[in-house]
Amino acid sequence: MNAGPQLKAQFLEIGDERLLCTTFTPAEGEPVVGTLCVIQPFAEELNRARMPIKRMAIEATSFGWTTHVIDLSGTGDSSGDFSNASLGRWRQELQKTLNLLFRLAPANAARGLLAIRSSMLLLSGLQLNSALDRVIAWQPVSSGRKWLREFLRIASMRSLSSTEDKPTRKPKDILAESGAIEIAGYWLSREFADELSQTEATIEPELCPAIDIIELGATVSPALQKFDEALQSGGIASTLIVAPNEPFWRIQEPVDTNSLSTATIQRLRSMVDV
């Protein structure tokens, strides 16, 4: 009897941290044709990405794909605290976790990576034991400085909407003077902010020769068009795809992401010619 997709949550011992890995696998007895590892976005965007990821992962099992969803340290249900976040630390965790998960996958299975929004920044300088077949990116953030500016804007908006008089200090000034600032329940350190402001997203051909960029909306934005051109100039076969869904990371309520799931599944299936 086909019992349907299987779901398993386990903690992986990666260095000094315990990282939650949630795995969706095809029904028992069904062949696994590919392994997809998901890197989630930073801060509150992670929570808003949970449902779109789950919908896509369950659908992918129908086509023989196993999906691993990784919570890096200080995020989700993993150990650590966001106040100690570091792109360098997360990149090391990601490198060890991906090498482990791909090593345990079937030898002939395709190897894919899904980077969502800000997690695209972690691919810069990432090195794995074996190359990926493809990266898929949901509305990738190409500039750490831009993401930081948007994150600090949340603090500015909350200050303006408070009952207090006109705010006396800007969030970036508080961060510079105090060394940290609380934004929507997340403590952002000055060191992490500095690291973000100096990071641009990129991929080395040795890591992966191809990427599919999926933009949510009606048309391709100038920012992602520029990102696509930069990747192609660096020797990456980059494809831009539009999925006419709302930006789930900006909306608290669940939104329809069927087009996003469909576009992702199509790219996964093209990797294995299913």
Side-chain angles (χ1 to χ4, degrees):
M1 179 178 177
N2 190 323
Q6 302 178 77
L7 171 64
K8 178 182 180 181
Q10 62 180 325
F11 284 95
L12 306 177
E13 302 290 338
I14 303 295
D16 296 329
E17 304 292 352
R18 298 180 72 243
L19 307 184
L20 178 66
C21 178
T22 305
T23 302
F24 301 81
T25 56
E28 186 174 357
E30 294 295 321
V32 174
V33 301
T35 297
L36 179 70
C37 292
V38 180
I39 325 171
Q40 301 183 87
F42 307 160
E44 185 58 26
E45 290 188 9
L46 179 149
N47 295 320
R48 297 177 185 179
R50 293 282 197 195
M51 189 55 67
I53 293 171
K54 181 178 180 180
R55 290 172 184 152
M56 181 280 301
I58 291 175
E59 186 175 354
T61 63
S62 301
F63 300 98
W65 280 82
T66 289
T67 299
H68 301 290
V69 185
I70 305 162
D71 288 8
L72 296 172
S73 64
T75 73
D77 293 311
S78 291
S79 63
D81 194 276
F82 191 85
S83 62
N84 296 319
S86 159
L87 291 179
R89 180 181 299 112
W90 281 347
R91 193 174 290 115
Q92 290 182 359
E93 292 174 2
L94 182 61
Q95 183 170 297
K96 293 177 181 178
T97 303
L98 293 179
N99 282 332
L100 171 63
L101 294 174
F102 285 130
R103 186 171 70 246
L104 296 175
N108 60 344
R111 298 149 53 92
L113 186 66
L114 172 59
I116 303 175
R117 295 277 297 147
S118 50
S119 66
M120 185 72 203
L121 298 170
L122 296 175
L123 273 60
S124 302
L126 183 69
Q127 298 180 341
L128 300 180
N129 292 339
S130 300
L132 301 165
D133 292 304
R134 183 173 299 164
V135 169
I136 300 174
W138 288 359
Q139 197 74 32
V141 173
S142 60
S143 167
R145 183 181 298 276
K146 179 180 178 181
W147 185 87
L148 177 62
R149 186 167 59 246
E150 292 176 353
F151 195 44
L152 290 174
R153 188 177 296 131
I154 296 174
S156 297
M157 293 174 64
R158 294 198 173 195
S159 296
L160 291 172
S161 63
S162 69
T163 57
E164 300 176 2
D165 293 333
K166 184 178 179 180
T168 57
R169 292 193 297 169
K170 295 180 179 180
K172 65 178 182 179
D173 295 331
I174 297 175
L175 180 62
E177 296 167 11
S178 303
I181 186 173
E182 186 271 328
I183 303 175
Y186 298 88
W187 279 96
L188 174 71
S189 71
R190 181 170 54 205
E191 292 76 15
F192 187 29
D194 290 343
E195 197 176 14
L196 284 165
S197 66
Q198 299 170 22
T199 302
E200 298 291 323
T202 187
I203 302 178
E204 297 296 330
E206 293 77 15
L207 174 67
C208 185
I211 181 172
D212 295 319
I213 300 172
I214 304 179
E215 174 149 19
L216 277 70
T219 59
V220 174
S221 66
L224 284 188
Q225 183 71 54
K226 183 178 180 180
F227 182 46
D228 170 72
E229 293 171 356
L231 290 171
Q232 294 193 43
S233 297
I236 303 296
S238 179
T239 303
L240 277 171
I241 302 164
V242 173
N245 284 144
E246 294 182 272
F248 61 81
W249 62 92
R250 294 177 182 164
I251 304 172
Q252 292 185 350
E253 297 77 15
V255 299
D256 176 13
T257 54
N258 287 337
S259 294
L260 176 61
S261 292
T262 298
T264 304
I265 298 300
Q266 288 176 344
R267 304 318 296 166
L268 293 177
R269 296 185 70 184
S270 72
M271 293 170 61
V272 292
D273 296 323
V274 173

